[in-house]
Amino acid sequence: MTNFELINLWERYPALKTYLLIMKLSFILCFLGMLQVSASVYSQNKLTYSFENKSIKNVLEEIENTTELRFFYNEDYLDMGKRVTIEGVEVDINDFLASLLETSDAGFRFLDNNLVVIVPKEAEQQQGNVTGTVTDKDGSPLPAVTIVVTGTTLGTLTDVAGNYSIEIPQGAKTLTFSFIGMETQVVTIGTQTQINVTMAESAIGLDEVVVIGYGTQKKSDLTGSLSQVTNENFNKGVNSSIDQAIMGRASGVQIRQTSSEPGGGISIRIRGASSINAGNEPLFVIDGLPIDNSPTLSIGGGAGTSPNPNSQNPMSSLNPDNIQSIEILKDASATAIYGSRGANGVILITTKRGIGEKMQVDFNHYRGIQSILRKYEVLGTSEYIDVINALSIEKGNSPVFSQSDIESIGKGTDWQDEIFHTANVQNYNLSFSGKTNNINYFISGNYYDQEGTVKNSGIKKYILKNNLESTINDRLSINLNMNTSVINDNPIVGGISHNEFAGAIYSAVFFDPTEKVKDEDGNYTISPNLLMPNPVSVIEGIENNVETLRVLGNISMNYKITDALSTKINFGSDFQNARRDVYNSKLTLLGLNNNGMAYINSLNRSNILGEYTLSYSKTLKGNSLITALAGATYQTFTDRSYSSSAGNFPTDITRTDNLSFGDPSKTVVASNKNANTLLSYLGRVSYNLYDRFLFTGSIRADGSSRFGENNKYGYFPSLAFAWKLHQEKFIPDFFSELKLRASWGMTGNQEISNYASLSTYSAAGYALFNESTYVASQPSRLSNPNLKWETTEQFNIGIDADIFKGRISGSFDYFVKNTRDMLIYLPTPLSTGYTNQLRNVGKMNNIGFEAIINSRNIEQKNFKWNTILNFSAIRNEVKDIGELSMILMGEAPGVGENSTIVKPGLPLNSYYGYKITGIFQTAEEVAGSAQINSKPGNPIFEDTNSDGIINSNDKQVLGNPFPDFTFGIINNFNYKNFELSINFNGQYGNDLLNATELLLMYPSNFRRNRSSIQTRDRWTPQNPGAKWPSGTDPNTYGGGAVSNYFVEDASYIRLQSLQLSYILPTKKLNFIDMVRIDITGQNLFTITNYTGGNPDSNVYGQGNYHIDFFSYPLAKIWTMGINMKF
Amino acid sequence: MKKNILKSILLVFFAMGFMSCEDLLQEKVYSELETSNFLTTKSGIDALLYASYNNMSPNSKAYMITLFHSFICGGIGWSTGGSFELTVGKPLREFTWLATQPDFLSWWTNYYRGIRNANIAIDAVKNGIFPEDYQTQIISEAKALRGYFYYNLYMYFGPVPLFIKSSPENLIQPRATDEEIRNQIEKDLTEAANDLPVNQKLFGKVTKGAALGILCKFYLNTSQWQKCVNTAQEIIDLGEYHLVPKYSDIYSFDNEGNDEVVWVIAQAASPVSECSNIIANTVPQDFKLLPGQMSYAARNYLYDSFVNSFAGNDQRKDLILKQWVNNKDITIVGYGKDQSLPMKYPIDPKGIGDANGIDFMRVRYADILLSLAEALNELNGPNQVSIDLINQIRVRAGTNIVQLSDFSTKESLRDHLLKERLWEFYYEAMEREDLLRHGKFISNAQARGINAQDYHKVFPIPQSEVDTNPMIVQNPGY
C-alpha cells in the first residue's frame, strides 16, 4: 500500500484513521526507539500545497488530513470562514501558517508535538502581574483558592480576603481558578491586569483529577470503579492511621478495627473476601510506591506472653494530616494494572504537595480523653460469693465462703477497674508548604501520643514528611517524597492463650474478685485456686515494647519528550526496622517461676522499587483524546529477623538491656531471612471518542518468584467502556452528568508465603543424646512446582449521575467477582506426614451492589446541609474446594474446637457448631435423649442425624460472618462560622463468635469468675425457663462446644464521630489566615445486640474467620482541637 | 544536544534495566535447606533422623498423653482441673472419647511425621554416595523408629495406612489389613535388630536391645507367645541388662541410663530440648516445688482402691504420696478421697517452670522379665521359670515371694501377672495395653459403673484424617 492510497483511505474513512492512529501508538509504545524518529518530523518539514477559495477552516482540515499536524482553535472568535487562495512549494510550515493567517485576526503558536494553537492576535503577547479578588456567588471572599497559570505549575493561593497576586510568564494565555466544591474556571488574561472572579459551586467536582494506577485521570473520564476520599472528608477526631480515617466513607470497602487498642489492627475488605488462604488485604500504593503492608512483628509471644495473631497496624506510620487524597480502586478495569496484587483492590495514597508562592503554615492540635464504652459483664464480689456458694451446694459440697470469710473479704476487687482507666490522647501537627524558585515543598512534623484505656498500653508516634517537587525546566521535573516515622508502641499482653499465659483482659475478667490486689507483704496476690496471673501483675510486671523505625519514600524524574509523550523513572524504597522487647518480671506468676524472662525480636524489612513508565496523551479532532501508558517495573522484598530469649535473671533491673545476665543454658536464639521478587510489564490505552465514548484497555504481565517453575508469569488484562450519556440530546438537561460504565478484567493474588512451591528442609527441634542436643531437620512442606496465581475475574457495571447541578449526585455499581485457582492449603491426610499442601483449587464468588449518594439538601447563604450516604451489599459464596467436601477452620481459642466451615454453597467461614435447643428439666428427659450422661440443668444439643449420640456429625451451620449490607451516613451542617458533622456507620446481618462468653460458660476452674449474663438467668429447679444452663459442673455438659449460644448477631449502628467546629472571626488579624476550633466525640454510642466488647473485633486480626476473644474494648473519645493557618 | 543525551539515558534504562533480568524470578532460599545441598551430606541425613527421634515426644505431648491415657482409662487413677480435664481427662475417665479429641490427633500427627522422616532418611541414604556401614546404621535406626511408630499406632487405633516410601505414589491410602501392619512392624524391628549395635555411643539412640524390646512387647501384646519368649530370651542373653537393686532408683536423676533401661525417650530440662512436664501435670498447684518451678491447673490422683491393693511391705507403693505438706505448710491428706499422688518421677533439681528432665522409659528390663513369665505361662501354664522371674521383681520390691503352688491354673497365674504388672508399672503407660491383653479393659470399666463397650478397645481414627482421607474407614462405634 502506497502513501497515496493510505491518504485516500483516510479521507474516505476518518474513523479508520483514528483506528490506525491507535494502532500506531501502541506500536510506538512498544518500540520506543522508533518513536524517537517520528516524534519531531513535521516541525522541520516543508509543505507543498495549493488551495483555491477555501475557508481557513477547510485549509486547516486538509492539512490535518495529510500531515500529523493538529490545530486547536475557537470558532467563536476567529474568522475561520474567511476564504483564501494560496499555494507554495516546499514552504516551511511556519511561513505557510503566517501567510494563511496574515489577513485574519488570529495568530498561532506551535506546541511541541505537532500541535498548533490558533489564538486571537491580541492574546499573543502578555506579561506582567495580575491581581484580583475571588468571591463566591454571594460576594464573600474565598480564601485558599488555587490559581494556576494554565499549563504550568506556576500558581498561588488567595489570602483570607480572597485576594491574590500572580506573576504572568511570557506566553501565558489563561489562568485556572480552582477550589474544592467549586466549578473550576479558566479565564483568559488578555490585557487585563486585574481579574476578579466569582466562583460557582460545582457538583462533586466532575473536572477533578483523580489518581489511578500509574497516572491520573479526569474524574469525568473514568471508566473504572473508584472511590475517592479527600483530606477534607476524612473521619473527624482521633485517627491513629489513614485506614481509620476513611472507615465507613467509601462504598464497597469494609474496614474493621480488629483491635481497639491504640495503633491496633485493621482489616480491610474491598468488595468482599476473595481468597481462602492467600491474603485478602488490598495493595497500598503510596505516591506510586507499592508497599508491603503486612504486619511487622507480632505483639505477642516470647517471655511467657501469649501468641497474638492480631498485629498492630503498619499504616500507623503515615500521618493522616499529610494525605491529600485516597483513591480506592475497586473494579478490574482500575486494578488490573496492578496484576497479581490487584485482586483485593488497591488503595492509592497521595500525599500533600506545596502550592502557591506564599508559604502556608498549618498547625493542628487536639487533645482528649478516652474511656471504655462498657466493661465485660462478670459478677461483682458479693454476687460471686453467692453464686460460688450456691453452685458448691448444688454440687453436694459445703459452701466455699463462710460468713466470716465474707466479712474479711469485704468489697473485694473489681479487677476491670484495676486495669482500665481514663486515658489521654494528644496530637500535634505542624506543616510548611508552598513554592519557591521552582521548588514546591511540603514539610511536616507530627507528634501523636495515645494512651490505651488499659493501663500501661499506648502508642507514641513521631512522623516527618518531606515532599519536594522541583521543576528544572518546562520539560524536566524531579520529585522527592519521604516519610520517616518512629513508633513506640506498648501493646497489652493479650492474644489467644489462657491459664498461666493469660493476658490482662482475660485475667481481669476471670480472676477471683474475692482476692486483693496485693497481700500484706505488698506482693501481688497469687490465687491458690487459680492458675492465672494476677491481672495487675500482668499490667505492672510485663514490659512489652515495640519500636518501629520506617523510612519510606521515592524519587522520580518526569521528562516530557514531547508535549504528548512523557516518561517517568521512579525509584522507591521502604525500610522498616522493628524491635520488640518483652520482659516478664518476677512480679508475675510465670516471671517468678522462671526468675524473670526476657525476649527480643527484631525485623529488618526492605522493599525496593525500580520503575520506568512512558505515557502518551494526544488530543484528536472532535474532542477526542487518546492516552496510553507503557512501563516496566521491578520490585523486591526482603525480610530478615532475629530473636533471642533468656531467663533466670539474678535481678529484674537490667530487663532486656543485658541478656547476658541470664542463665546461659536458658538462652535461645533464632534468625530467618527470606525474599521475593516481582518483575512486571504493563500497558494501558484509553480513548475518549467525541467526549462521549470512553474505552480503556490495560494489561499487566507479572512475574513473581513465589510461584512454581512452570508458572512464573501471569497475564492480567482488562477492558472497559463508558458512555457519557449526558452529552446526548435525548438525556434531559437536568443531568449534569450521567455516565454508564462497564468493565471486565482479571486480577491476581500472590499473597502467600515465600518458598511455597519449593521442597526445603527446616529446623525441627532437637534430638537428645547423652544429655546433649542434636539439631533436627525435616521437610518444610509438601512442595508444589505447579503453583500459580489465584485469579479473580471481575465484571462491573455502574452509573455515575449528577442532577440539578450537583445538588444530588451518586454512583451505583453492580459487580460479580469470580475467583478461581484459589490458593488453598488443602489439608492432606495426616498419614502422609504432612498437614497440607498449597494448591490451586477451588472457586469463590462475590456478588455485590454498592452506592454512594451525595445530596446538598439545603443551600442558603448562612445555612447549608449536605448528606453523604454510602451503602454496599455483598454476597459471598464458596463454589468449590477441590476434592474435599469441607474444610474446618477458625479454632476457638482456649477451647481447641474449630468454629467455622468452608464448604461449597456457603459463605466463606460460616460459623459451624452445635445447636442448643433448650435445657434439660428432668432426669426422665435426660434418659430419653442422646445425652444420657447429662443432668437436669444441662443444655440439650440437637441430634441432627438422630443417631442417638452427640458428636461432630451433629454440627451445623450457625451463622454468616459477612454482613448483608454495610452503610455510612454523614451529615454536615454549616451555619455561619459553625459546622456540625455527624457520621454514623454500621453493618447489618453478620454474626460473630463471642468466644469470651463461650469460655465464661466453661470455666476450666471452679473459682473463676462467671458471666453475669449467664448466671443471672441460669437454670435452677426454681428457674426452669432459664436460657442458660445451671453452671454446676459446666465441664460435664459439652465442655467448650461451639454452639449457637455464642454465635451472636453483630449488626450495629454506631455514631462514629460527631464534630462541632467554629471558625474564629480573624479577618482583621493580618498574620493569621484562619483559626478553627472544634470539639469532637467518637464512638459516642453503638446500637447493637452483640454482648461482647466490640462487634468489629477479631482476635485473628486480618484472618478470614472472625472470633471475638477478650477483645480490647472500644473507647469513647472526646477531644478538643485547634487548627490554624498562617 | 543535552536533550538527546538525556533521551539516550532513558532508553538505556528501559532496555537494560528490565529486559534482561528473567533469572531475578529464581527464588533464592536463605534460611532453609534444599534437597540438593542437604540430603547429600551425612549431617543432613543425621538431622533428618534426629527429627524422627524428636517425633517420639514432640514438646513432650505425645508421651505425656500416652502416660495419662493409660492410667486414667486403665482405671487406677484420674485427672482433674485445667483444660486438660475438659478435653482429655474426663472423656478418658468416662469412656466418652471422640474422634475430635486433640490427643489422638497429636499421636497420629507426630508418629506419622516420624514415619515420614524415617522413610526419607532410608531412601536418601541409598543414593550411592555414602559408605555401606553408614547406610546400614541409618537404615537400621530408621527402621527401628518406624517399627516403634507403627507399633504405637497399631496399639491405639488398630491397622492404619502404611507408608514406607519417601515419595508415595498416592497421598491417599486406605488402612492396611491387620496382617499387613503386623508384618511390617515385625519386619522393621527384626531387620533393625539384626543390624543395630548392642551399644550406641550416644545414649538415647536406638540399640539392638531396644529394637528387640519393642519387638518383644509387640509379640506379647499380639499374643505371639513363642516369639515373645524367643525375643525375651535373646534380650536376656545379650547380658546387657539387669534389674536396679532399689525400685525407687529406677527413676532417680542420678541413675538415668541405668542397667534396667532397654528403650528410653531421653529428656532434659533445657528450654531447647525435649523436656517433660510430668511433675507440672501431676501435682496440685500448692505443692511444694523448688523455687522457680510450677505446676498446672491439672493434677493426677490415684484411687484409694489401687493404693490399697499393694501388700504392706511392698516398697513400690512408697512412691505414692497419701499425704503431703503444701507450700503454705498445711498438711493435705489425699488418701481417703481418691487423691493420692503418684510421685514416681522425681522433682528435677534443674527444672524451671514446668520443665522436668526425667527420661521416659518405654521398655525396661523388668518388663522383659515379666513378659517372658507371662508368655511362658500362656504356653505351658504355671511353671517355675515364670515364678522365678516374678520373684526377681518381688524381691527387688521388698515384698514376699510367690510359690508355684500358689497358682493351680494358667488363669490364676495370669491374673497375678496382671496385678504384678500394675504394681510394677503403674503410671508408666502400660495399664491400658496390659488390661486389654488380659481382656479386662472393658469389664473393669463396666465394673466401675462406666458405659464401656467393646468398641472402646481401640481409639477412633482422628477426625482430621477421616475428613481428609476418603479411603479411611473409621473404627466401628465411633
Side-chain angles (χ1 to χ4, degrees), chain A residues 32-33 36 112 475-476 498-500 527-532 557 559 561 567 569 571 590 592-595 610-612 631-634 648 665-668 671-675 677-679 681 703-707 709 712-713 754-762 764-771 773-782 827-835 837 884 886 888 895 932-933 949-953 1002 1004-1005 1035-1036 1039-1040, chain B residues 2-3 6-7 10-11 13-14 18-22 24-35 38-39 44 46-55 81-83 85-87 90 94 96 98 100 105 108-109 112-113 116-117 120 161 163 166 168 170-173 201-205 256 266-274 285-286 291-299 328 350-354 357 359 451 462-465 467-470 477-478:
Chain A
L32 182 69
Q36 294 304 300
D112 220 49
R475 297 207 169 273
L476 180 66
H498 53 129
N499 292 347
E500 69 270 31
S527 166
N529 305 308
L530 295 173
L531 178 66
M532 195 181 287
M557 182 175 81
Y559 181 69
I561 298 169
T567 173
I569 296 175
F571 290 110
L590 277 173
L592 183 64
N593 282 329
N594 291 281
N595 271 323
E611 195 171 84
Y612 181 96
T633 155
Y634 167 79
N648 210 5
S665 70
K666 310 288 174 208
T667 303
V668 183
S671 66
N672 187 279
K673 177 180 177 181
N674 62 73
T677 300
L678 283 165
L679 175 62
Y681 306 93
S704 166
S705 64
R706 278 182 173 157
F707 289 89
E709 206 50 55
K712 287 283 182 211
Y713 270 90
N754 295 335
Y755 313 139
S757 75
L758 300 180
S759 169
T760 63
Y761 294 83
S762 50
Y766 302 82
L768 189 76
F769 305 125
N770 282 5
E771 300 283 302
T773 49
Y774 289 78
V775 180
S777 184
Q778 65 180 7
S780 312
R781 66 191 71 78
L782 197 55
T828 47
L830 294 168
S831 51
T832 57
Y834 299 94
T835 319
Q837 185 182 31
L884 292 184
M886 61 177 192
L888 297 181
V895 175
I932 49 170
N933 291 328
I949 340 170
I950 300 299
N951 61 16
S952 57
N953 297 331
Y1002 296 108
S1004 58
N1005 187 300
N1035 287 350
T1036 62
Chain B
K2 200 172 149 194
K3 200 158 120 183
L6 202 55
K7 282 179 190 174
L10 296 181
L11 271 170
F13 260 115
F14 189 67
F18 301 109
M19 289 306 185
S20 59
C21 36
E22 294 296 314
L24 287 172
L25 297 180
Q26 231 18 277
E27 196 160 25
K28 192 153 188 277
V29 179
Y30 297 98
S31 298
E32 298 187 352
L33 301 159
E34 294 173 90
T35 310
F38 177 65
L39 287 186
D46 284 347
L48 194 59
L49 202 61
Y50 296 156
S52 199
Y53 275 98
N54 174 283
N55 290 121
S83 52
E85 178 182 6
L86 191 70
T87 52
K90 181 178 160 280
E94 297 181 350
T96 51
L98 298 171
T100 46
L105 185 63
W108 189 274
T109 311
Y112 268 116
R113 274 195 196 142
R116 173 198 67 189
N117 295 337
I120 300 175
F163 285 87
S166 57
N170 201 338
L171 294 176
I172 291 169
Q173 294 283 342
K201 264 185 265 169
L202 297 175
F203 172 73
K205 280 204 153 194
E256 282 195 320
Q267 310 278 325
S270 139
V272 296
S273 65
E274 297 317 318
Q285 270 173 267
D286 58 353
Q293 299 186 354
M294 60 170 291
S295 68
Y296 299 149
R299 80 294 310 256
K328 294 215 161 64
K350 291 185 202 154
I352 280 234
D354 56 357
D359 292 343
N451 180 25
Q463 192 61 39
S464 308
E465 181 74 17
D467 289 343
T468 50
N469 185 345
Y478 292 106

Side-chain angles (χ1 to χ4, degrees), chain A residues 1012-1052:
Chain A
S1012 56
I1013 297 171
Q1014 293 177 29
T1015 42
R1016 277 175 198 153
D1017 188 24
R1018 75 184 182 98
W1019 186 94
T1020 58
Q1022 293 74 40
N1023 185 20
K1027 179 191 175 188
W1028 296 92
S1030 63
T1032 322
D1033 266 338
N1035 287 350
T1036 62
Y1037 47 76
V1042 172
S1043 74
N1044 57 328
Y1045 269 37
F1046 311 107
V1047 176
E1048 298 185 23
D1049 178 7
S1051 306
Y1052 71 81

Side-chain angles (χ1 to χ4, degrees), chain A residues 226-292:
Chain A
L226 176 151
S227 294
Q228 185 191 43
V229 186
T230 52
N231 187 285
E232 310 81 73
N233 290 319
F234 289 167
N235 288 332
K236 311 289 189 244
V238 178
N239 293 308
S240 73
S241 71
I242 188 64
D243 21 26
Q244 272 185 323
I246 58 170
M247 197 182 281
R249 290 272 165 174
S251 60
V253 182
Q254 193 192 2
I255 302 178
R256 292 168 68 110
Q257 174 93 42
T258 59
S259 167
S260 308
E261 178 155 20
I266 292 244
S267 177
I268 303 176
R269 294 289 177 273
I270 295 176
R271 295 191 162 180
S274 60
S275 182
I276 292 178
N277 288 129
N280 272 293
E281 301 295 321
L283 173 69
F284 278 89
V285 180
I286 300 168
D287 291 324
L289 171 67
I291 60 158
D292 173 0

Side-chain angles (χ1 to χ4, degrees), chain B residues 284-401:
Chain B
Q285 270 173 267
D286 58 353
F287 197 83
K288 214 178 241 178
L289 294 167
L290 298 174
Q293 299 186 354
M294 60 170 291
S295 68
Y296 299 149
R299 80 294 310 256
N300 292 330
Y301 293 128
L302 291 170
Y303 290 126
D304 294 341
S305 56
F306 179 69
V307 180
N308 293 337
S309 71
F310 285 91
N313 56 1
D314 195 331
Q315 289 169 9
R316 293 176 291 197
K317 77 166 192 309
D318 297 347
L319 299 180
I320 297 170
L321 286 188
K322 294 182 181 177
Q323 63 176 57
W324 59 92
V325 176
N326 77 358
N327 58 13
K328 294 215 161 64
D329 288 326
I330 299 165
T331 300
I332 307 289
V333 181
Y335 178 72
K337 293 188 286 193
D338 285 331
Q339 292 185 1
S340 299
L341 289 175
M343 287 303 289
K344 200 166 221 178
Y345 304 100
I347 292 167
D348 189 345
K350 291 185 202 154
I352 280 234
D354 56 357
N356 182 295
I358 194 71
D359 292 343
F360 182 42
M361 264 176 255
R362 292 302 280 130
V363 182
R364 58 183 168 96
Y365 193 53
D367 194 0
I368 299 299
L369 299 182
L370 287 180
S371 299
L372 176 58
E374 187 171 332
L376 288 171
N377 180 47
E378 295 296 334
L379 288 168
N380 311 323
N383 62 85
Q384 193 55 47
V385 180
S386 294
I387 297 299
D388 291 345
L389 289 165
I390 294 167
N391 281 337
Q392 280 194 51
I393 306 297
R394 290 185 67 82
V395 167
R396 197 249 310 256
T399 191
N400 309 345
I401 57 168

Side-chain angles (χ1 to χ4, degrees), chain A residues 6-21:
Chain A
L6 197 72
I7 289 165
N8 278 334
L9 273 174
W10 284 7
E11 278 171 348
R12 264 178 251 157
Y13 307 103
L16 179 68
K17 185 181 168 191
T18 312
Y19 176 68
L20 287 170
L21 201 61

Side-chain angles (χ1 to χ4, degrees), chain B residues 8 13 38 86 178 202 207 211-212 217-218 253-254 264 268-269 271 282 303 373-374 396 417 420 446-447 474 477:
Chain B
S8 313
F13 260 115
F38 177 65
L86 191 70
D178 201 55
L202 297 175
T207 58
L212 289 172
K217 295 303 304 289
F218 166 72
F253 276 101
D254 306 334
V264 71
T282 301
Y303 290 126
E374 187 171 332
R396 197 249 310 256
L417 271 160
E420 198 65 60
Q446 287 168 341
Q474 181 59 282

Side-chain angles (χ1 to χ4, degrees), chain A residues 840-1117:
Chain A
N840 293 98
V841 289
K843 298 187 175 112
M844 190 152 62
N845 156 284
N846 285 283
I847 297 177
F849 170 76
E850 60 195 34
I852 185 156
I853 297 168
N854 189 339
S855 165
R856 294 190 289 173
N857 308 318
I858 295 176
E859 298 256 300
Q860 287 173 357
K861 187 176 179 194
N862 282 330
F863 182 65
K864 294 186 185 72
W865 171 29
N866 85 313
T867 302
I868 305 168
L869 175 80
N870 76 70
F871 171 92
S872 7
I874 298 165
R875 201 200 69 199
N876 172 283
E877 188 185 331
V878 176
K879 289 287 190 188
D880 176 28
I881 49 169
E883 58 260 47
L884 292 184
S885 61
M886 61 177 192
I887 305 173
L888 297 181
M889 296 176 99
E891 189 185 316
V895 175
E897 271 226 347
N898 289 317
S899 62
T900 66
I901 185 169
V902 179
K903 190 179 179 180
L906 292 174
L908 179 63
N909 279 308
S910 294
Y911 292 108
Y912 188 63
Y914 300 96
K915 187 173 175 190
I916 298 178
T917 55
I919 307 286
F920 284 118
Q921 300 292 336
T922 61
E924 296 77 58
E925 206 182 330
V926 170
S929 74
Q931 298 154 258
I932 49 170
N933 291 328
S934 291
K935 298 189 191 79
N938 290 3
I940 306 170
F941 294 105
E942 190 169 55
D943 183 12
T944 48
N945 59 1
S946 308
D947 63 353
I949 340 170
I950 300 299
N951 61 16
S952 57
N953 297 331
D954 295 307
K955 288 188 175 182
Q956 52 186 294
V957 175
L958 301 175
N960 181 353
F962 296 98
D964 296 342
F965 61 85
T966 56
F967 60 92
I969 307 164
I970 296 145
N971 278 291
N972 293 313
F973 302 90
N974 290 76
Y975 175 70
K976 291 187 174 165
N977 284 1
F978 288 94
E979 180 171 355
L980 177 67
S981 172
I982 305 170
N983 177 8
F984 283 96
N985 57 40
Q987 55 186 22
Y988 178 82
N990 60 320
D991 299 303
L992 180 62
L993 176 68
N994 186 346
T996 310
E997 207 65 28
L998 169 60
L999 223 62
L1000 281 163
M1001 176 150 145
Y1002 296 108
S1004 58
N1005 187 300
F1006 182 63
R1007 289 290 296 274
R1008 286 187 172 196
N1009 204 350
R1010 313 287 161 121
S1011 155
S1012 56
I1013 297 171
Q1014 293 177 29
T1015 42
R1016 277 175 198 153
D1017 188 24
R1018 75 184 182 98
W1019 186 94
T1020 58
Q1022 293 74 40
N1023 185 20
K1027 179 191 175 188
W1028 296 92
S1030 63
T1032 322
D1033 266 338
N1035 287 350
T1036 62
Y1037 47 76
V1042 172
S1043 74
N1044 57 328
Y1045 269 37
F1046 311 107
V1047 176
E1048 298 185 23
D1049 178 7
S1051 306
Y1052 71 81
I1053 176 163
R1054 175 181 299 149
L1055 177 53
Q1056 207 267 347
S1057 65
L1058 176 99
Q1059 183 178 68
L1060 180 65
S1061 62
Y1062 177 65
I1063 297 172
L1064 297 182
T1066 50
K1067 273 186 188 173
K1068 289 183 183 146
L1069 300 172
N1070 283 332
F1071 63 94
I1072 212 156
D1073 287 349
M1074 192 205 69
V1075 180
R1076 182 175 171 277
I1077 54 171
D1078 68 71
I1079 178 162
T1080 310
Q1082 280 170 277
N1083 304 323
L1084 297 184
F1085 67 84
T1086 303
I1087 302 169
T1088 181
N1089 290 327
Y1090 185 72
T1091 62
N1094 178 3
D1096 261 353
S1097 66
N1098 181 12
V1099 71
Y1100 287 113
Q1102 300 183 335
N1104 258 342
Y1105 29 81
H1106 303 148
I1107 295 173
D1108 179 10
F1109 184 75
F1110 298 95
S1111 56
Y1112 202 104
L1114 196 65
K1116 176 160 73 177
I1117 308 175

